[in-house]
Amino acid sequence: MAPNTTPSSGNASPSLSVLDAPLASPVHPTAARSPADAITVQGENTIYTDEYITSKFINRGADVVVQEGGRYVIKPTVTPFEFRTQRKVPRTGLMLVGIGGNNGTTLVATILANRHNIAWHTKSTIQRPNYIGSLLRASTIRLGLDETGKDVYAPLSDLLPMVHPNDLVLGGWDISGAPLDAAMKRAAVLEWDLQRQVAPYLKQLGAPLPSIYYPDYIAANQEDRADNVIPGTNKGAHLEQIRKDIRDFKAANNLDQVIVFWTANTERYSEIIPGVNDTAEAILASIENSHEEVAPSTVFAVASILEGAPFINGAPQNTFVPGVIKLAEQYKSFIGGDDLKSGQTKLKSVLAEFLVNAGIKPLSIASYNHLGNNDGRNLSSQRQFRSKEISKSSVVDDMVAANHLLYKTKAEVEAEQEASTGEKVKDVKGEHPDHIVVIKYVPAVGDSKRAIDEYYSEIMGGGRSTINIFNECEDSLLATPLILDLTILAELLTRVNYRELTNGPDADFKPLYPVLSLLSYMLKAPLVKPGTDVVNSLSRQRNALEMFLKACIGLEGSSDLLLETRIW
């Protein structure tokens, strides 16, 4: 893809006829720019310099000893930290793998529409461009109380200096060589009048860079699109080409930072094989040897790690095999994933948590989807569907495991089975709701995905409760804001360093751990530090992100206690 500049409002536009000229439109609040110092904390825990925001934060936890007879002994823990955030927002590029797909073209067109403030006609009104659906751009955070005792809320994006989406420099790869304006038309996601006006800007970006195509990893029905691929079968050569593409894009656009984002087809799962993909050295050797169990997405991830570019996986396959995670640790390069959480799964994480926290016991959760975009076409292949099924099926696991009053633990199930059979049973799991996921490809509905969920639960006295939900959503219009959030947060987290003050005031600042689990709110199957538990609860994910951003400016976490309203 040709070098890409980020025009300001004063730059000349592509040649347009009077008929094509963009409609004048006020800037939507979600796309408005806030001052760099929109939020300033005045307190002993926060120091501002021209270069950094430095804050002190007390991480309060608890060590628990579980004793016999249902007794718990709790020892509160207190660990002091200091966070340091670079204030200067770097010139940032976003390279999308799959830029010519539904998500890729929708994201590029949305940014261009906002950047050039292009409004468009619908059948009933004039629509302004916006970033609705973005956690950062379209949601707020409670800061505290004003002088009258009323809550004060501010945009979440104002807490710390963050990249504005309009400023992202765009580029990427695709196995289809269609120019982006033609690819947008093929995707058929956006209103025609918006496509008409934004097409000249997409045309300026040209065609995607050639991408990696290994037919075994995606559905056979994608072969007819694969006309823009890096030649040959040498995966080591492919790795070097992707690394060169990242370097060239960064240099050509004078960038400080590049984020690489996989929004291409869902791949089949890679088999985890000792000596092939279980260590950093093994995965590098397997790429050089063109091993069959190295996926295209893994090659992109490794290239990004070696180039120091954060890599986010927006699809459900196991891109981050153990060797990739270990390689990221070695290079201290950020990775995050997996699978964008846009519709049904996000709702499921909320409703399942509500039921379990209300003391109601879900017995089964049955989810059915059908959609007609290219994602649905690729998922019509069983091996690719299996990747999606795995990412969707784990969303209630942590909520179930958190309530042993409703669900028997693994130890309890083992004891029951041993008592009834007289012998120890192998591979026993704890009690869990039956959970089934079905996805069907229905071309007629296009990008408009239909999702049906049934929650069948036990209530008091052996009674039953059933909740049925029908959810219709435009898939790419929900996914695109998540890509922006993940990109912006990944960039921000590269500028945050920390040190534990228990190691002394002269301890060195360090970067965060490479696996960015703080991105979990936007992901179906969050990647976490090996050996730690996955949190799927949407409220806990949001609260963790809020608390971290507040900690970076020296504020305490959630103030939902509202103690001032409960005392004299």
Side-chain angles (χ1 to χ4, degrees), residues 5-7 27 30-33 110-117 131 137 163-170 484 488:
T5 58
T6 309
V27 175
T30 60
R33 294 181 185 270
T110 298
I111 289 176
L112 291 172
N114 277 284
R115 183 184 295 169
H116 298 284
N117 203 22
Y131 290 117
R137 302 297 312 177
V163 176
H164 193 289
N166 290 6
D167 296 335
L168 289 169
V169 180
L170 304 168
L484 289 174
I488 293 166

Side-chain angles (χ1 to χ4, degrees), residues 280-332:
E281 295 73 23
I283 193 64
L284 290 174
S286 294
I287 292 173
E288 285 302 312
N289 297 329
S290 300
H291 195 282
E292 62 182 5
E293 286 304 309
V294 176
S297 62
T298 297
V299 175
F300 274 98
V302 169
S304 302
I305 290 168
L306 296 178
E307 292 301 319
F311 179 87
I312 311 297
N313 176 34
Q317 69 271 347
N318 60 340
T319 297
F320 301 117
V321 293
V324 173
I325 296 175
K326 290 175 181 176
L327 188 70
E329 290 176 339
Q330 282 186 15
Y331 279 80
K332 293 182 170 58

Side-chain angles (χ1 to χ4, degrees), residues 13 16 18-24 116-119 197 201:
S13 300
L16 299 170
V18 174
L19 175 64
D20 292 331
L23 296 168
H116 298 284
N117 203 22
I118 298 172
Q197 295 182 78
Y201 296 101

Side-chain angles (χ1 to χ4, degrees), residues 140-145 151-154 550 559-560 562 564:
T140 61
I141 185 170
R142 182 180 180 272
L143 300 179
L145 302 175
D151 288 333
V152 176
Y153 292 88
K550 282 187 170 182
S559 54
D560 288 340
L562 297 177
E564 62 274 7

Side-chain angles (χ1 to χ4, degrees), residues 232-508:
T233 58
N234 186 326
K235 295 184 178 182
H238 294 169
L239 173 68
E240 292 308 314
Q241 181 61 54
I242 299 304
R243 292 186 65 180
K244 181 177 184 299
D245 289 343
I246 295 170
R247 290 195 301 269
D248 289 350
F249 182 75
K250 187 174 184 179
N253 293 287
N254 192 29
L255 301 173
D256 304 306
Q257 181 65 272
V258 175
I259 310 295
V260 179
F261 200 110
W262 179 278
T263 184
N265 277 316
T266 294
E267 300 171 333
R268 70 165 174 85
Y269 255 48
S270 294
E271 185 179 349
I272 307 301
I273 304 173
V276 171
N277 49 21
D278 58 336
T279 68
E281 295 73 23
I283 193 64
L284 290 174
S286 294
I287 292 173
E288 285 302 312
N289 297 329
S290 300
H291 195 282
E292 62 182 5
E293 286 304 309
V294 176
S297 62
T298 297
V299 175
F300 274 98
V302 169
S304 302
I305 290 168
L306 296 178
E307 292 301 319
F311 179 87
I312 311 297
N313 176 34
Q317 69 271 347
N318 60 340
T319 297
F320 301 117
V321 293
V324 173
I325 296 175
K326 290 175 181 176
L327 188 70
E329 290 176 339
Q330 282 186 15
Y331 279 80
K332 293 182 170 58
S333 191
F334 290 139
I335 57 175
D338 296 305
D339 203 5
L340 298 176
K341 182 165 58 184
S342 57
Q344 185 184 55
T345 307
K346 184 173 287 186
L347 182 61
K348 188 180 297 182
S349 67
V350 172
L351 195 52
E353 181 181 27
F354 153 69
L355 290 169
V356 173
N357 285 352
I360 295 171
K361 182 180 181 180
L363 300 173
S364 67
I365 302 173
S367 298
Y368 169 87
N369 306 254
H370 69 262
L371 71 164
N373 59 21
N374 193 56
D375 183 39
R377 186 170 181 241
N378 181 59
L379 290 174
S380 63
S381 172
Q382 178 56 36
R383 291 197 301 171
Q384 283 67 42
F385 165 70
R386 180 58 181 154
S387 295
K388 177 69 75 171
E389 184 180 37
I390 291 170
S391 75
K392 278 176 159 284
S393 63
S394 61
V395 70
V396 301
D397 289 356
D398 59 320
M399 289 160 262
V400 169
N403 194 328
H404 63 274
L405 301 173
L406 294 178
Y407 296 97
K408 296 172 184 174
T409 65
K410 177 181 177 181
E412 289 173 323
V413 173
E414 279 181 342
E416 282 186 1
Q417 293 192 4
E418 188 174 354
S420 64
T421 62
E423 58 184 38
K424 200 159 190 174
V425 182
K426 294 182 179 179
D427 299 324
V428 173
K429 296 182 179 179
E431 193 178 12
H432 194 281
D434 295 333
H435 191 186
I436 186 169
V437 177
V438 177
I439 301 176
K440 294 297 181 182
Y441 176 52
V442 182
V445 303
D447 203 61
S448 183
K449 181 168 70 174
R450 274 74 165 161
I452 302 171
D453 291 285
E454 180 189 87
Y455 300 81
Y456 182 60
S457 304
E458 179 180 348
I459 56 177
M460 184 178 287
R464 296 293 186 266
S465 168
T466 302
I467 300 174
N468 288 299
I469 296 176
F470 177 82
N471 173 27
E472 179 181 344
C473 63
E474 294 176 88
D475 205 30
S476 300
L477 296 179
L478 285 175
T480 293
L482 303 184
I483 297 174
L484 289 174
D485 285 339
L486 289 162
T487 299
I488 293 166
L489 282 172
E491 186 289 310
L492 169 65
L493 295 176
T494 67
R495 290 184 282 121
V496 178
N497 289 308
Y498 78 96
R499 60 184 178 185
E500 288 189 42
L501 295 179
T502 51
N503 297 328
D506 297 324
D508 292 335

Side-chain angles (χ1 to χ4, degrees), residues 519-561:
L519 306 181
S520 296
Y521 183 90
M522 281 72 69
L523 298 162
K524 285 190 182 77
L527 187 71
V528 299
K529 186 176 183 179
T532 59
D533 291 335
V534 177
V535 173
N536 283 297
S537 160
L538 201 69
S539 63
R540 289 184 64 194
Q541 291 170 343
R542 161 84 190 218
N543 192 43
L545 181 58
E546 275 193 18
M547 289 185 68
F548 182 83
L549 296 178
K550 282 187 170 182
C552 289
I553 56 174
L555 292 180
E556 291 292 333
S558 173
S559 54
D560 288 340
L561 174 60

Side-chain angles (χ1 to χ4, degrees), residues 173 175 210-214 228-230 238-239 242 262 296 299-300:
W173 305 263
I175 61 171
S211 192
I212 299 173
Y213 175 58
Y214 303 153
N228 187 48
V229 301
I230 301 173
H238 294 169
L239 173 68
I242 299 304
W262 179 278
V299 175
F300 274 98

